[in-house]
Amino acid sequence: MTEVITDPTLPTLHGPSDKEKKYDRQLRLWAASGQQALEDAHILLVNSGSGTVGVETLKNLVLPGIGKFTIADESMVDQANLGVNFFLDEDCLGKPRSECCVRLLQELNPDVKGDWFPKNKDETIEQLFDGTIKYTMVLYAAPIARARMELLHEYGQKHNVPVIAVHSAGFYSYFRISLSNNFPIVDTHPDSTATTDLRLLTPWEELSNFAASLTENIEGLSAHEHGHIPYVALLLHYLAEWKQTHGSLPSTYKEKTAFRSTVAAGARTDTPEGGEENFDEAVAAVLKTISTPSISSSVREVFDYTPTEMESTSSFWIIADAIKQFYKKHNALPLPGSVPDMKAQSTVYVQLQNIYKAKARQDVAEVLETVRSHPKGKDIDSDEIGNFCKNAAFIKLIRGSEPSEASPANIKVLAEREFENDSHALLTAMPLSLFPIYLSLSATTSLPASNVSDIMDAIKNTLPDAASTPRIIEAAEEVARANGGELHNISALTGGMVAQEVIKIITKQYIPIDNTCIFDGITSRMQVIRI
């Protein structure tokens, strides 16, 4: 009897989903976790004035797939709106501006939910803040009534919701981010070249033994083997020889330069190429990798910060404290475990990768044990701890913005500092401060159609000597000339910048600005300043 043997059915290969195809490029920037954070978000825009910059911001959030947005705008569409707002058409005349903008914005991405307010004359925007709806972030566009602006900031402080103010008039604009609490970031996305951490001055036993096995008989190796020793092993080999000769490892620039020459001298020149690529890589890596481990000022700030009682129970501060203990014990942060590309045989390179990955896992395990010993640490996901360890050298703490920071006294101190720097601009070849633009725009936060004297009077309330500074007068004249009107290209550019910062905050990836960005469309310059 013949036995029929059938081949097992091969598993079905699934390609990328429609959603992955749609958002392919941005998923490469902030991954699935960041995309999910965007889709879970609800943005409220309180719109007023010409109403362009706020809608342009939403455009750049709808396209990447924000979950939901609401526009609160009491204005009706008139002819002036059609000239500056691309999300209005003639059919919108006489209709609620919020309703029309929502409808046309949703055409950009049907997966995004949109809502508008008020839907009848009896409703007021203040009703949106009765606590029944939770917003991820609140944006508002100036000009805006001062009482309403204060209400928005009170809501942000009470519910720990970031509030972003945006003001665009003529060729000028600025936006200011108000974070009610300190904002820690783990996934800051540093440049890949900055993340190389090979620990060549403090190698562990497995790495030292591996390097020694590759270079034990370095002079007797074949041309192929000699030309494929990974530069990590080469540097460890020559470091050991240097220490044996000099009694210590190279530390000064002069010593590192001499060490680099020693490494270069080890290359064979009787090859068809006249040299060896792996030795070239080793020489190039000397100054970058032969250095004593140290932590950055941003990491030091996290270690030195004492979290509040509420903050101390968050996963970030529990893990940060565990890594701080790790650093105190080992005088080094957990090893990231990544190895850069280098000239090497594939099998040798994979072995080297595995050695670094094993050490990284060992460091994560030690941090994990410390985290689990914390009363609130048992529920923290191990993947979060691993990601924190991987990015520990680049964590960042953005300080929250207190309302008092924009007080007249602080504005005066900031103005004095900026104008003092301007007085040395010719000697230092530094650009002039854009702070006069901020002063002029903020003077019209609640009074859009102000003349020059009104703007200067408002500025003088904070800076009595403002009239003696020509650049303040020039900025006031330009803002007065705009008369509260927006230029679409300036508002579109500003909206793009604001949306970029919104995405950073929502995804908790990359580093948001701290905390105000001022843009000058006349000179095409911007300045980030903390106010």
Side-chain angles (χ1 to χ4, degrees):
M1 180 176 179
T2 304
E3 183 180 358
V4 178
I5 301 176
T6 57
D7 293 331
T9 304
L10 294 175
T12 304
L13 297 178
H14 297 284
S17 65
D18 291 339
K19 178 180 173 182
E20 289 170 335
K21 291 178 182 177
K22 180 177 181 178
Y23 296 128
D24 176 65
R25 290 187 177 183
Q26 64 202 49
L27 285 170
R28 303 180 192 205
L29 291 176
W30 50 70
S33 59
Q35 187 63 33
Q36 189 61 53
L38 278 180
E39 294 175 10
D40 292 339
H42 183 184
I43 305 296
L44 171 65
L45 167 65
V46 179
N47 212 15
S48 58
S50 298
T52 305
V53 69
V55 175
E56 286 294 327
T57 301
L58 288 180
K59 175 194 75 176
N60 291 286
L61 294 172
V62 169
L63 288 170
I66 200 78
K68 183 178 180 180
F69 69 93
T70 299
I71 300 179
D73 189 343
E74 296 161 324
S75 300
M76 309 299 284
V77 179
D78 58 23
Q79 285 288 347
N81 295 147
L82 300 183
V84 293
N85 194 329
F86 285 2
F87 292 92
L88 297 172
D89 54 33
E90 290 188 355
D91 293 338
C92 297
L93 287 171
K95 297 179 181 178
R97 190 167 66 183
S98 56
E99 178 186 10
C100 295
C101 287
V102 167
R103 174 173 55 82
L104 292 174
L105 280 168
Q106 284 187 285
E107 289 183 4
L108 297 175
N109 192 342
D111 294 336
V112 175
K113 297 178 182 178
D115 197 5
W116 58 282
F117 194 88
K119 291 184 172 64
N120 60 64
K121 295 181 179 179
D122 297 330
E123 294 176 323
T124 64
I125 289 178
E126 283 67 23
Q127 292 175 238
L128 292 172
F129 302 98
D130 59 7
T132 57
I133 303 176
K134 172 69 173 177
Y135 303 106
T136 309
M137 188 174 298
V138 174
L139 313 177
Y140 69 85
I144 183 173
R146 189 161 299 278
R148 179 169 292 174
M149 179 177 66
E150 291 173 353
L151 173 66
L152 299 183
H153 283 282
E154 287 173 5
Y155 176 86
Q157 289 287 332
K158 181 179 179 180
H159 297 279
N160 192 23
V161 173
V163 177
I164 301 182
V166 193
H167 194 170
S168 178
F171 284 99
Y172 295 155
S173 68
Y174 83 86
F175 62 93
R176 184 173 187 267
I177 302 173
S178 297
L179 300 171
S180 57
N181 290 321
N182 293 321
F183 189 76
I185 310 166
V186 174
D187 204 350
T188 56
H189 292 268
D191 187 89
S192 58
T193 58
T195 60
T196 302
D197 184 1
L198 301 176
R199 305 286 168 90
L200 298 184
L201 293 182
T202 56
W204 57 101
E205 185 179 358
E206 292 81 0
L207 179 61
S208 296
N209 292 340
F210 178 72
S213 69
L214 295 176
T215 58
E216 185 177 5
N217 184 28
I218 191 169
E219 298 302 330
L221 296 175
S222 67
H224 178 76
E225 291 172 328
H226 194 272
H228 284 77
I229 302 173
Y231 79 75
V232 169
L234 288 174
L235 290 176
L236 287 172
H237 169 72
Y238 286 108
L239 281 170
E241 287 191 348
W242 178 280
K243 185 176 182 180
Q244 188 174 2
T245 304
H246 298 83
S248 63
L249 296 172
S251 57
T252 65
Y253 178 78
K254 183 178 180 181
E255 290 175 340
K256 291 178 183 179
T257 304
F259 175 73
R260 187 169 57 184
S261 300
T262 301
V263 175
R268 294 177 181 177
T269 57
D270 57 349
T271 61
E273 296 83 10
E276 294 178 298
E277 186 179 343
N278 58 335
F279 274 82
D280 292 340
E281 292 175 342
V283 169
V286 167
L287 295 180
K288 184 169 61 176
T289 60
I290 308 300
S291 56
T292 305
S294 61
I295 60 174
S296 66
S297 58
S298 61
V299 176
R300 178 69 65 187
E301 183 180 9
V302 172
F303 284 176
D304 292 344
Y305 178 75
T306 302
T308 64
E309 184 177 351
M310 181 179 297
E311 289 174 335
S312 63
T313 59
S314 72
S315 61
F316 176 89
W317 291 110
I318 293 173
I319 302 172
D321 183 65
I323 289 182
K324 181 180 178 181
Q325 293 180 46
F326 183 96
Y327 181 79
K328 286 182 177 180
K329 179 179 178 181
H330 300 283
N331 197 33
L333 295 170
L335 187 73
S338 59
V339 179
D341 290 336
M342 62 187 71
K343 184 80 170 182
Q345 297 182 63
S346 297
T347 54
V348 172
Y349 182 72
V350 170
Q351 284 179 284
L352 184 63
Q353 280 186 314
N354 289 335
I355 289 171
Y356 274 89
K357 288 178 180 178
K359 180 63 168 67
R361 287 193 292 269
Q362 180 182 330
D363 290 353
V364 170
E366 183 175 334
V367 174
L368 177 62
E369 184 179 355
T370 306
V371 169
R372 292 288 186 254
S373 67
H374 190 281
K376 299 287 185 179
K378 293 180 176 59
D379 298 327
I380 298 177
D381 187 24
S382 58
D383 289 340
E384 182 181 357
I385 298 171
N387 186 57
F388 202 123
C389 290
K390 181 181 178 181
N391 295 284
F394 302 96
I395 54 176
K396 179 74 175 176
L397 179 64
I398 302 295
R399 297 284 184 166
S401 303
E402 297 291 337
S404 59
E405 288 187 274
S407 66
N410 285 346
I411 292 293
K412 186 175 181 179
V413 171
L414 185 56
E416 290 173 352
R417 187 191 72 193
E418 291 295 302
F419 297 146
E420 174 65 21
N421 292 339
D422 283 353
S423 66
H424 304 297
L426 288 176
L427 294 174
T428 59
M430 294 294 290
L432 295 173
S433 173
L434 300 183
F435 196 57
I437 293 175
Y438 171 81
L439 292 172
S440 300
L441 286 174
S442 60
T444 62
T445 297
S446 302
L447 300 170
S450 302
N451 55 40
V452 177
S453 61
D454 290 337
I455 295 173
M456 291 302 298
D457 287 344
I459 297 174
K460 287 177 184 177
N461 289 334
T462 305
L463 304 174
D465 299 329
S468 62
T469 307
R471 295 189 63 246
I472 293 181
I473 299 174
E474 292 172 7
E477 289 173 346
E478 175 60 28
V479 172
R481 187 183 69 82
N483 199 32
E486 296 183 52
L487 297 177
H488 182 268
N489 58 338
I490 301 297
S491 292
L493 186 149
T494 304
M497 292 192 291
V498 175
Q500 180 174 275
E501 301 306 313
V502 170
I503 291 172
K504 291 177 186 177
I505 295 171
I506 290 175
T507 61
K508 295 184 178 179
Q509 298 183 41
Y510 301 92
I511 303 176
I513 65 159
D514 184 23
N515 57 9
T516 302
C517 177
I518 308 167
F519 178 70
D520 179 1
I522 297 174
T523 61
S524 295
R525 287 200 300 119
M526 61 168 285
Q527 178 182 1
V528 174
I529 188 171
R530 185 175 179 94
I531 298 176

